[in-house]
Amino acid sequence: MNLFTSTVGRKILMAVTGLMLVGFITVHLLGNLSIFWGADAINAYAKHLHDLGPLVWIFRLVMLCLFAIHITFGVQLYLENKAANPEPYAVQKTLVTTFSAKTMVFTGLIILAFLIYHLLHFTVQVTNPDISAHNLPLVDGHLDVFTMVVMSFQKVFIAIIYLIAMVALFLHLSHGVSSWVQTLGWSTGPSQDKVTALGKLVAIVYGLAYIAIPLFILAHIVK
Ligand code: HEM
């Protein structure tokens, strides 16, 4: 079996890269949630990240490869599947799963568009130079990431972009988390229902936690 050309091989690659990307969004979420512990907490988290130096670039390269593999094969398999089955397939058991399964390629592309915007916004910091951490006064000699994030999500337009992207992330995880377990053959028969339920639970927890950040700032609960 050729991993890069066979359908099963590419599904396995998607499952493995998807799993690793879930690992990233877990760590990223835990770091971002520190915003609820105040400015010092998230600024310290950002400082730790920046202190990693060259490791950050290795991490970025790995992330780029993971995203590239996951997106390329995702779109390829979707197009091949569509060409082979013009009629909708896969009767799923619940509405949420059906909708999230059917829209995987679209929610994936929304997340990709979000990611490009997100990197320009918070990493390169070119979308809103007035509130870029590089242009804000330093706090104890460190970048003020807290103020950058808070001032960003106080802008309704930016908060809405994030809220839409987080809903797409929720839908993508709703189907994605259970489907990689099945692709890797770790769940068959009755345990499939449990895996599907677990996938949905993970998606709900991650979705709510990610959505809480722009929402609480927009509502001036975090300020
Ligand atoms: C409310 C949601 C989110 C917030 C508040 C947030 C916040 C941030 C911040 C502040 C940075 C810059 C860190 C720094 O360099 O100081 C960052 C970087 C990044 N974020 Fe997010 N993020 C969110 C959601 C996401 C999601 C859903 C993804 C993935 C799908 C993601 C992927 C990334 C990546 C890849 C980076 C670049 C890391 C690097 O510098 O190499 N973020 N995020």
Side-chain angles (χ1 to χ4, degrees), residues 9-145:
R10 286 177 295 168
K11 279 191 175 170
I12 290 175
L13 280 178
M14 284 206 65
V16 172
T17 51
L19 173 62
M20 293 166 95
L21 291 170
V22 170
F24 166 74
I25 61 163
T26 306
V27 175
H28 195 48
L29 176 62
L30 292 175
N32 287 337
L33 286 178
S34 64
I35 201 160
F36 293 114
W37 275 261
D40 289 348
I42 192 160
N43 285 345
Y45 162 68
K47 183 186 173 302
H48 285 313
L49 275 187
H50 298 161
D51 285 350
L52 293 175
L55 271 183
V56 172
W57 284 100
I58 297 172
F59 160 79
R60 284 175 178 165
L61 198 68
V62 172
M63 288 293 295
L64 190 68
C65 294
L66 292 179
F67 272 112
I69 293 171
H70 196 78
I71 294 162
T72 309
F73 291 144
V75 172
Q76 250 185 28
L77 288 166
Y78 169 77
L79 293 176
E80 285 173 17
N81 191 45
K82 208 170 166 226
N85 306 287
E87 290 302 314
Y89 66 104
V91 181
Q92 302 283 338
K93 283 188 179 160
T94 69
L95 240 181
V96 175
T97 311
T98 306
F99 183 71
S100 61
K102 274 186 193 162
T103 53
M104 281 306 271
V105 78
F106 304 110
T107 50
L109 291 174
I110 292 174
I111 295 167
L112 172 64
F114 159 76
L115 202 57
I116 295 169
Y117 170 73
H118 183 54
L119 293 179
L120 294 173
H121 178 205
F122 279 155
T123 302
V124 193
Q125 299 177 19
V126 288
T127 57
N128 300 77
D130 49 322
I131 50 173
S132 151
H134 296 297
N135 295 332
L136 294 169
L138 295 178
V139 179
D140 298 331
H142 308 307
L143 291 179
D144 191 358
V145 172

Side-chain angles (χ1 to χ4, degrees), residues 167-196:
V167 171
L169 180 68
F170 158 72
L171 287 170
H172 203 77
L173 289 175
S174 261
H175 179 70
V177 174
S178 53
S179 88
W180 66 253
V181 182
Q182 283 155 17
T183 300
L184 295 178
W186 293 347
S187 112
T188 44
S191 61
Q192 204 155 311
D193 283 348
K194 284 188 193 141
V195 169
T196 307

